[in-house]
């Protein structure tokens, strides 16, 4: 049985029809979110994937052509377009918490789940995945460490529930998260 660290902070018992996943790159937001949506019978969306679909190019290309700021503007528009939608699980990009303008869009009528992961596991996953232009440099570990340092207080300030995704399959983690949220009367 994998050990799992699930913690609920505040808003216990407040029912929500929107789950928003936030957290560092390669911490399992998309895979866990997809399984969670299936368990709930809700829609699932991943803002990075929608940005790629609507722009017709991948995220690395957007960063190359428009810089990080161009990508952040697209991310903001995508979050705004999703605002007000219910019965939906939304996986966000790791930097979606950076723009203060995004915070009301993330928080509104949502239960926010923060996915955290050990650095080793994160690196292992990040190596297999494309579309992380911030890691396209000689020292991805340093980038992951630095982004965590600068972002962690924002993540924890926004999160209602935190799940450690280091151990366990995405499906197992989604089931545990679903049980936990149901038990705490969030769902
Ligand atoms: C980013 C994370 C990525 C993607 C983009 C920028 C970040 O999403 O949005 O490469 O700033 O942390 P994931 O968190 O899904 O990797």
């Amino acid at each position: 049985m994998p050990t799992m660290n699930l913690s609920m902070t505040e808003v216990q018992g407040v029912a929500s029809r929107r789950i928003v996943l936030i957290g560092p790159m390669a911490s399992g937001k998309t895979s866990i979110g997809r399984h969670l949506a299936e368990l709930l019978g809700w829609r699932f969306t991943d803002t990075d994937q929608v940005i790629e679909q609507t722009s017709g190019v991948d995220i690395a290309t957007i960063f190359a052509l428009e810089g990080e700021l161009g990508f952040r503007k697209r991310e903001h528009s995508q979050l705004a377009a999703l605002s007000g939608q219910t019965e939906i699980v939304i996986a966000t990009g790791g930097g979606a918490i950076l723009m203060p303008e995004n915070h009301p869009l993330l928080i509104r009528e949502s239960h926010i789940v923060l996915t955290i992961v050990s650095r080793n596991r994160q690196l292992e996953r990040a190596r297999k995945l494309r579309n992380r232009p911030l890691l396209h440099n000689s020292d991805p570990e340093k980038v992951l460490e630095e982004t965590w340092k600068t972002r962690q207080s924002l993540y924890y300030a926004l999160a209602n529930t935190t799940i450690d995704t280091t151990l366990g399959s995405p499906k197992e983690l989604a089931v545990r998260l679903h049980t936990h949220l149901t038990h705490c009367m969030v769902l």
Side-chain angles (χ1 to χ4, degrees):
M1 185 71 172
T3 53
M4 182 149 7
N5 179 5
L6 261 168
S7 69
M8 173 74 73
T9 52
E10 62 189 323
V11 300
Q12 188 153 352
V14 177
S16 184
R17 311 303 287 165
R18 259 168 82 87
I19 304 287
V20 175
L21 290 116
I22 61 170
M25 285 178 259
S27 61
K29 299 179 294 277
T30 302
S31 48
I32 295 168
R34 189 171 278 121
H35 284 294
L36 182 64
E38 213 175 287
L39 289 166
L40 289 165
W42 291 2
R43 268 185 336 108
F44 171 75
T45 191
D46 175 301
T47 55
D48 285 343
Q49 286 172 6
V50 178
I51 290 167
E52 291 190 324
Q53 283 156 11
T54 51
S55 66
V57 291
D58 64 17
I59 288 170
T61 306
I62 299 173
F63 267 67
L65 295 176
E66 301 176 358
E68 183 172 346
L69 188 61
F71 172 75
R72 297 290 168 216
K73 285 182 184 162
R74 288 176 184 270
E75 191 172 50
H76 175 74
S77 305
Q78 188 47 41
L79 289 170
L82 290 167
S83 125
Q85 293 192 25
T86 54
E87 306 217 331
I88 189 165
V89 177
I90 301 169
T92 62
I97 43 89
L98 292 174
M99 283 177 90
E101 306 91 296
N102 289 346
H103 296 179
L105 302 174
L106 294 167
I107 292 166
R108 204 179 129 208
E109 290 174 25
S110 305
H111 188 88
I112 301 195
V113 175
L114 167 63
T115 52
I116 56 169
V117 64
S118 74
R119 183 76 65 246
N120 283 346
R121 184 82 182 101
Q122 186 184 24
L123 273 167
E124 202 179 282
R125 285 194 195 132
R127 271 189 211 108
K128 289 188 208 144
L129 301 163
R130 55 180 197 102
N131 264 350
R132 281 161 182 135
L134 294 176
L135 300 182
H136 295 175
N137 73 39
S138 56
D139 198 347
E141 186 170 6
K142 196 169 165 212
V143 175
L144 291 176
E145 259 165 38
E146 278 169 6
T147 49
W148 174 249
K149 265 190 214 148
T150 55
R151 296 174 180 181
Q152 62 171 318
S153 57
L154 277 173
Y155 286 137
Y156 282 110
L158 290 166
N160 303 118
T161 296
T162 301
I163 180 169
D164 186 334
T165 67
T166 305
L167 298 172
S169 71
K171 196 167 182 177
E172 281 164 359
L173 290 160
V175 168
R176 292 291 291 269
L177 182 58
H178 179 254
T179 306
H180 182 77
L181 295 178
T182 306
H183 183 73
C184 295
M185 291 180 288
V186 169
L187 296 171

